[in-house]
Amino acid sequence: MKAKTLTVKMVSGSAVVCLLMSGLCSCLSSTVYATAPIAITTCQQLQDMDNDLTASYVLAQDIDCYGSGAWNSGAGFSPIGLAESGAAFTGSFDGQGHTVYGLTIDRSTTSPAGLFYIIQGTTVQSVNLVDASISGTDTSGTLAAGIIDSNISDIHIEQSAVSTAGSAYTGGLAGYDYANGGDVAISGSWFSGTVNGFADTGGLVGYMSFVNVVDSYSTGTVTGTSNVGGLVGEFQDFWGINNTFSQAAVVASGNDAGGLVGQLGDGLHGAPFIFNSYASGSVTSSADAAGGLVGLDIAAIDDSFGAGAVSAPSATNVGGFVGIYSSGDSNNNVYDQLRTGQASCAGGGSCGSVMANVTAVNTAGSPNSSYFFNDLSNAPLSGWDTSVWVTKASGFPVFARLPHDVTVVSNQPSSNAIQVGWQPPADSDTPDVTGYTLRYRLADLSNSWTTISVPASAHPSYTITGLQPNTQYSIVIITNNAVGASSGTGIIAKTAAAPAVISNSQTHVINSSNKTSSTDDTAVPDTSLAPVTTDYFGGYPATGYTADNLQVGSVVHFQIVHNSALAKHTATIRELGDDYVVLTIASTPFDVRLNVGQTKDVSVDRNGRNTLQITLQSITNGTANVTFKALTAQHAAAITKTAHAAHRTIWLWFGVAALVATGSVVLYSTRKRSAQF
């Protein structure tokens, strides 16, 4: 087996004192500052940490680094320490639970990449990195290219991508992590996204030695050549991986691919171990040594299981649990023959003959149909700490931690209510959602929060009622699970204006007997109630009439049959948004709000009977196209027959509409037809 040689600039630091329990280093030192730490509030200040690599820093708020991709002629954010001739960061960094959004580094032709170049002899903790894009020539990770003699805790990386252009050591969190005189740990950390590298590529760390990884996991996709693992690419020497899992899909073009670890141990130095861990992501290899949990195993594995599909058609050594078993203790392990698709435990052999103390179960058959699901009573799960692991209604056990936030996708306001819609969180790595807490208050913060409990089954929407018209509200949706509550996702939404109330005496009605009758095409409509324009129309085609290019202030004139009479009305465009329009029906003033594509039936005379159908067809470049369609054709026919008895001929006016804006009139269509009865 090959030994690794890493060349880095060494910086002396304080020794890390660890408590060893069952071979596990569980020390995570608390941060003590000699002087007040420097507060970071902008992405530029984050970059300026390069000016003093020994100071203590804290994030004072969330940071937007989306613009960092344009820095340094497109190379993006410069890894902290890289500008100082490749020096290591030896100060301390506490994110205080805040988030860095959109960190972008493109060093694919120049150098390693990461928020930090090298972290050495210190503590970095409690920071979230979301939507990061990290690319280096080699040795790359979202948090750091490399970590030495340091404690890393509560680093949460989501929706991110890490890649190297052509060399080893690529990880979602760090390219490599090892001890050089002290024992180190990664705790409570995870990566979700894509990792693309070459040799030694892992969802969390590419290569590590003398490190403990505790209570951590990975999801997404990990692609590399050799030594490719869902959590760690290659793990040599001492210490171990404890209470971890990987749901990441692993794809390898070379040897040693595993759902959790590509290569465990090297047979030349000390022996690491895996304990209380599992892999459920798929493993696809076009070379040799592919396993559901480990590709090449030369060390101890206890109380763990593999359950991801393993596909390696060209491999000689492929197994549902490990690809090749060379040496190391094995106790209380399990693999799923059905889900892995492998009848063999390791290297083409049965568990008893190749690797001791690994139980093969087939979850297609009773009583093992739900062996790993919603059940901690079966080995090896029965020995796991239930304060760390929890079951899910359907799926593998996960860590007992807070849920992810929802994604708000819509809000539909009326004059006294707001319907809020959301997308439930992606929770495959957290306990099941038990419900939501919806909080709302006036957006000007002049009142206190009102809290509503919403059951988990109520998604994707909930309607808040009893609100004030034409008023902005702050709304927060919080996701709950058995552990606690998410931080919440907030929006600002505004209710619509209240419809005006007007007496019936103000309604204009034209009786059918007053309509002009004629027997030639020169007849014109009655304009006695339209002294400024004659742009109403007396009927609609079957598909309705569309008034195009309406802007705020535009007026559409029309007449509708109701109460056995014809009445003139106007619809005025009062408000025009990016995807909605608010029209005021002026004859009996009230507002109608429509989203693009939405249709509403309304009663223009407020008598409770819908007489008009309005559809917002589209909004383009700040103008709206709205279709009006009468719902009272049967009444129109009755009126027409009455008029025929008195006049023998009546005119029906079709397809006339206009815009009235800033005192001007634009006539769009003036087609008229005569009908003989």
Side-chain angles (χ1 to χ4, degrees):
M1 297 299 154
K2 59 184 180 298
K4 299 291 181 184
T5 301
L6 297 176
T7 303
V8 298
K9 182 174 181 178
M10 305 307 297
V11 179
S12 62
S14 301
V16 180
V17 180
C18 293
L19 174 64
L20 297 179
M21 299 180 64
S22 300
L24 173 66
C25 169
S26 60
C27 66
L28 287 173
S29 61
S30 59
T31 303
V32 178
Y33 301 111
T35 59
I38 299 170
I40 303 297
T41 61
T42 68
C43 192
Q44 184 58 57
Q45 290 176 352
L46 191 69
Q47 181 69 91
D48 291 343
M49 289 171 57
D50 212 34
N51 298 328
D52 188 348
L53 301 177
T54 63
S56 297
Y57 300 91
V58 295
L59 285 188
Q61 62 183 38
D62 292 349
I63 290 178
D64 182 351
C65 281
Y66 280 107
S68 61
W71 296 1
N72 300 308
S73 300
F77 190 96
S78 178
I80 297 169
L82 185 64
E84 298 298 321
S85 302
F89 176 76
T90 59
S92 64
F93 183 79
D94 185 353
Q96 300 189 119
H98 292 300
T99 301
V100 176
Y101 293 96
L103 180 70
T104 304
I105 301 173
D106 185 359
R107 304 269 166 167
S108 56
T109 60
T110 56
S111 67
L115 172 61
F116 295 91
Y117 171 49
I118 296 174
I119 298 170
Q120 183 166 359
T122 187
T123 298
V124 174
Q125 63 188 21
S126 302
V127 63
N128 309 315
L129 294 131
V130 175
D131 206 13
S133 177
I134 311 297
S135 179
T137 53
D138 54 26
T139 314
S140 297
T142 310
L143 181 69
I147 300 172
I148 306 169
D149 292 339
S150 296
N151 284 305
I152 308 298
S153 63
D154 298 316
I155 309 300
H156 305 156
I157 305 168
E158 298 184 356
Q159 303 169 33
S160 297
V162 181
S163 64
T164 57
S167 190
Y169 312 130
T170 310
L173 183 141
Y176 64 79
D177 187 0
Y178 73 93
N180 189 64
D183 298 315
V184 299
I186 296 172
S187 176
S189 300
W190 65 76
F191 175 87
S192 178
T194 60
V195 180
N196 288 283
F198 291 82
D200 295 332
T201 297
L204 199 68
V205 181
Y207 169 89
M208 67 182 199
S209 173
F210 288 98
V211 178
N212 282 290
V213 179
V214 185
D215 298 343
S216 300
Y217 69 86
S218 62
T219 68
T221 304
V222 181
T223 303
T225 54
S226 59
N227 298 336
V228 184
L231 192 77
V232 177
E234 181 175 359
F235 186 12
Q236 292 185 4
D237 302 313
F238 284 110
W239 315 138
I241 294 172
N242 180 50
N243 282 350
T244 68
F245 67 88
S246 175
Q247 298 173 348
V250 174
V251 180
S253 59
N255 294 340
D256 306 340
L260 193 76
V261 178
Q263 178 179 334
L264 180 67
D266 64 359
L268 300 176
H269 302 90
F273 64 88
I274 295 173
F275 180 66
N276 276 12
S277 299
Y278 74 84
S280 61
S282 62
V283 177
T284 304
S285 173
S286 54
D288 199 24
L293 190 78
V294 176
L296 172 60
D297 177 33
I298 317 175
I301 304 175
D302 294 337
D303 299 290
S304 299
F305 71 85
V310 180
S311 176
S314 300
T316 302
N317 298 286
V318 57
F321 194 63
V322 301
I324 295 177
Y325 172 71
S326 178
S327 62
D329 293 338
S330 172
N331 295 288
N332 200 29
N333 297 309
V334 177
Y335 86 98
D336 185 337
Q337 289 179 315
L338 174 69
R339 290 187 174 87
T340 62
Q342 298 295 325
S344 299
C345 173
S350 65
C351 292
S353 62
V354 178
M355 190 174 187
N357 299 315
V358 180
T359 300
V361 299
N362 189 330
T363 54
S366 180
N368 297 321
S369 59
S370 59
Y371 195 93
F372 298 103
F373 287 76
N374 197 24
D375 185 3
L376 291 176
S377 63
N378 293 309
L381 288 75
S382 56
W384 292 11
D385 187 347
T386 55
S387 68
V388 175
W389 297 93
V390 295
T391 58
K392 292 179 65 67
S394 178
F396 297 101
V398 293
F399 295 134
R401 57 182 37 138
L402 299 177
H404 300 290
D405 280 319
V406 306
T407 300
V408 175
V409 295
S410 66
N411 68 89
Q412 295 286 340
S414 63
S415 61
N416 61 0
I418 297 175
Q419 184 185 66
V420 184
W422 64 85
Q423 182 67 36
D427 60 356
S428 63
D429 52 15
T430 57
D432 294 322
V433 172
T434 56
Y436 304 95
T437 300
L438 192 149
R439 304 172 67 197
Y440 68 93
R441 67 188 299 180
L442 294 173
D444 62 7
L445 311 182
S446 60
N447 69 333
S448 58
W449 289 104
T450 297
T451 301
I452 301 171
S453 294
V454 182
S457 59
H459 78 79
S461 68
Y462 185 86
T463 301
I464 308 170
T465 59
L467 304 180
Q468 302 174 25
N470 200 33
T471 304
Q472 282 192 326
Y473 286 86
S474 296
I475 303 172
V476 176
I477 302 172
I478 298 168
T479 309
N480 304 307
N481 64 16
V483 180
S486 70
S487 58
T489 300
I491 61 169
I492 299 291
K494 185 178 182 180
T495 52
V501 178
I502 190 165
S503 65
N504 290 335
S505 62
Q506 294 174 274
T507 302
H508 300 301
V509 177
I510 303 175
N511 189 278
S512 60
S513 62
N514 293 330
K515 288 300 295 178
T516 300
S517 62
S518 178
T519 58
D520 60 58
D521 287 349
T522 62
V524 296
D526 173 28
T527 61
S528 60
L529 296 179
V532 177
T533 65
T534 59
D535 53 342
Y536 65 88
F537 43 95
Y540 295 88
T543 57
Y545 186 85
T546 300
D548 297 317
N549 304 318
L550 301 177
Q551 298 175 325
V552 173
S554 297
V555 181
V556 177
H557 294 242
F558 59 93
Q559 62 182 15
I560 288 291
V561 176
H562 59 76
N563 295 335
S564 298
L566 292 170
K568 291 183 177 180
H569 301 278
T570 61
T572 303
I573 308 300
R574 184 178 67 81
E575 186 176 347
L576 190 62
D578 292 336
D579 61 353
Y580 72 93
V581 67
V582 177
L583 312 98
T584 298
I585 307 298
S587 48
T588 56
F590 65 96
D591 289 339
V592 177
R593 185 187 192 279
L594 297 167
N595 284 69
V596 171
Q598 186 178 15
T599 298
K600 286 188 178 179
D601 296 344
V602 299
S603 172
V604 293
D605 65 336
R606 307 311 293 270
N607 63 1
R609 295 193 300 272
N610 292 330
T611 50
L612 178 68
Q613 187 177 85
I614 310 175
T615 303
L616 176 57
Q617 300 292 355
S618 62
I619 293 179
T620 306
N621 298 325
T623 63
N625 303 317
V626 182
T627 295
F628 300 84
K629 181 179 181 181
L631 297 177
T632 54
Q634 69 279 16
H635 297 294
I639 292 171
T640 299
K641 290 178 181 178
T642 301
H644 173 66
H647 305 290
R648 303 186 60 83
T649 308
I650 189 169
W651 288 97
L652 296 180
W653 298 89
F654 288 84
V656 182
L659 297 180
V660 179
T662 63
S664 62
V665 177
V666 180
L667 194 61
Y668 278 86
S669 175
T670 56
R671 293 185 297 124
K672 54 185 178 181
R673 299 179 182 174
S674 63
Q676 300 294 328
F677 299 89

